[in-house]
């Protein structure tokens, strides 16, 4: 017995060493490619501070997953080659494997370390500035800059099937397009007049639920001028797929003249709007009696 078992063990060790070396080699080659070549092209691009942060986070996730995926692929390729049936006429099953405390121990250690690292990393990144997500009416992840300098408030009002934008610092004017000044911290107040929608400004890295009767706050720090897409990201009825429009981040001077123009253009409409409020209660929510 001992000779056969000894032989099998010896060959097993040698296979383990081969797989480990091939895996190390593949990881050493692929991880830098993932971080430096693939990472910079990951969505949603560098349209804002938050969007850039999401690119960094996506790169960290992909770089963490790379050695794991390579372990599976390298072992799979190695097994296909090393353990292939050499005499096709006789197909014999290998001996059953019944537990391996060393493998089980390291499996638990490795997966626990990876999961705890990702939980800690994700929590720290979320608390830094909210990462562009909606945080409800009382945000806990407020960008540091907001305490020194009051952000530009922009209210996003969703309804079937369009978004409009209200600027409380500019007479409460409500516009049909969204423009934002460059290099500015913006505080979105996202709400809805009817059903649930979601405000998704893709290139800015912002996605926030628009719920009736709720003031959902999301932060974004714009950087350079760019055009961005706004889409509804919550199925909201028949024309959900057509609920989109384009927005622009523009130089501060251009924003100032645009918003002044909007104030003039909509002066008579603004007079008829309800006063600026965190939420509005039009007919659908009052349709009780
Ligand atoms: Cu919608």
């Amino acid at each position: 017995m001992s000779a056969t078992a000894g032989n099998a063990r010896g060959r097993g060790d040698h296979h383990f060493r081969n797989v480990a070396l091939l895996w190390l080699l593949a990881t050493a080659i692929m991880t830098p490619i993932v971080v430096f070549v693939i990472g910079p092209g990951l969505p949603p691009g560098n349209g804002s501070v938050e969007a850039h942060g999401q690119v960094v986070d996506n790169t960290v996730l992909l770089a963490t997953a790379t050695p794991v995926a390579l372990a599976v692929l390298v072992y799979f390729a190695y097994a296909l080659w090393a353990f292939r049936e050499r005499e096709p006429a006789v197909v014999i099953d290998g001996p059953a494997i019944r537990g391996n405390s060393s493998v089980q121990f390291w499996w638990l250690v490795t997966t626990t370390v990876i999961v705890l690292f990702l939980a800690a990393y994700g929590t720290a990144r979320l608390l830094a500035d909210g990462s562009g997500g909606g945080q409800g009416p009382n945000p806990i992840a407020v960008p540091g800059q907001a305490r020194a300098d009051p952000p530009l408030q922009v209210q996003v009002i969703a309804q079937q099937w369009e978004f409009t934008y209200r600027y409380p610092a500019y007479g409460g004017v409500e516009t049909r397009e969204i423009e934002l000044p460059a290099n500015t911290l913006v505080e979105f107040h996202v709400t809805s007049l009817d059903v649930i929608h979601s405000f998704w400004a893709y290139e800015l890295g912002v996605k926030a639920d628009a719920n009736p009767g709720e003031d959902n706050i999301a932060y974004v720090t714009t950087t350079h001028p760019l055009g961005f897409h706004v889409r509804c990201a919550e199925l909201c009825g028949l024309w959900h797929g057509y609920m989109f429009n384009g927005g622009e981040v523009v130089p501060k001077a251009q924003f100032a003249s645009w918003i002044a123009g909007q104030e003039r253009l909509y002066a008579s409409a603004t007079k008829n709007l309800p006063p600026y409020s965190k939420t509005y209660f039009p007919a659908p929510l009052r349709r009780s009696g």
Side-chain angles (χ1 to χ4, degrees):
M1 166 250 158
S2 62
T4 325
N7 257 343
R9 169 144 315 168
R11 277 211 306 280
D13 285 351
H14 139 91
H15 286 310
F16 181 81
R17 194 200 60 204
N18 286 352
V19 171
L21 283 176
L22 286 170
W23 171 73
L24 274 176
L25 183 68
T27 300
I29 293 170
M30 281 310 294
T31 308
I33 292 178
V34 162
V35 172
F36 297 108
V37 180
I38 299 173
L42 288 176
N46 294 315
S48 72
V49 170
E50 287 71 14
H52 174 71
Q54 290 165 23
V55 171
V56 171
D57 298 343
N58 287 340
T59 305
V60 168
L61 289 176
L62 200 57
T64 309
T66 299
V68 178
L70 286 174
V72 174
L73 293 174
V74 165
Y75 176 75
F76 182 59
Y78 186 88
L80 277 180
W81 174 79
F83 306 133
R84 70 191 186 280
E85 180 55 78
R86 286 173 173 77
E87 295 167 59
V90 194
V91 178
I92 312 166
D93 230 358
I97 296 170
R98 301 209 186 278
N100 182 319
S101 54
S102 175
V103 166
Q104 289 166 341
F105 174 77
W106 286 109
W107 177 271
L108 283 176
V109 168
T110 309
T111 50
T112 304
V113 165
I114 292 174
V115 166
L116 289 180
F117 160 73
L118 290 176
Y121 177 81
T123 306
R125 297 286 294 160
L126 272 177
L127 285 176
D129 62 4
S131 295
Q135 301 186 52
N138 303 302
I140 52 171
V142 179
Q145 196 193 328
R147 296 185 187 96
D149 205 5
L152 170 67
Q153 291 191 11
V154 178
Q155 184 173 53
V156 178
I157 303 169
Q159 61 186 300
Q160 288 169 321
W161 285 278
E162 66 174 330
F163 290 106
T164 54
Y165 307 92
R166 220 170 161 184
Y167 293 79
Y170 297 90
V173 62
E174 183 169 348
T175 66
R176 303 198 63 185
E177 304 290 331
I178 178 171
E179 275 201 22
L180 301 170
N183 298 308
T184 301
L185 176 63
V186 178
E187 185 179 283
F188 286 117
H189 289 257
V190 184
T191 190
S192 167
L193 298 184
D194 41 41
V195 302
I196 56 171
H197 303 269
S198 180
F199 172 64
W200 182 23
Y202 174 78
E203 287 85 350
L204 299 183
V206 173
K207 191 186 266 180
D209 287 338
N211 294 335
E214 281 297 324
D215 174 32
N216 193 14
I217 297 176
Y219 293 98
V220 69
T221 312
T222 60
T223 51
H224 53 281
L226 85 159
F228 58 91
H229 295 86
V230 173
R231 286 192 169 275
C232 181
E234 182 67 66
L235 187 57
C236 61
L238 191 58
W239 302 114
H240 164 68
Y242 292 88
M243 188 167 163
F244 58 85
N245 59 9
E248 268 192 282
V249 176
V250 296
K252 284 180 176 171
Q254 191 178 329
F255 172 78
S257 71
W258 174 80
I259 194 71
Q262 297 289 299
E263 280 187 82
R264 277 195 304 278
L265 178 64
Y266 290 119
S268 58
T270 306
K271 267 188 267 159
N272 291 318
L273 286 178
Y276 180 80
S277 156
K278 303 266 160 142
T279 61
Y280 304 93
F281 292 93
L285 285 181
R286 289 261 169 93
R287 202 168 47 195
S288 49

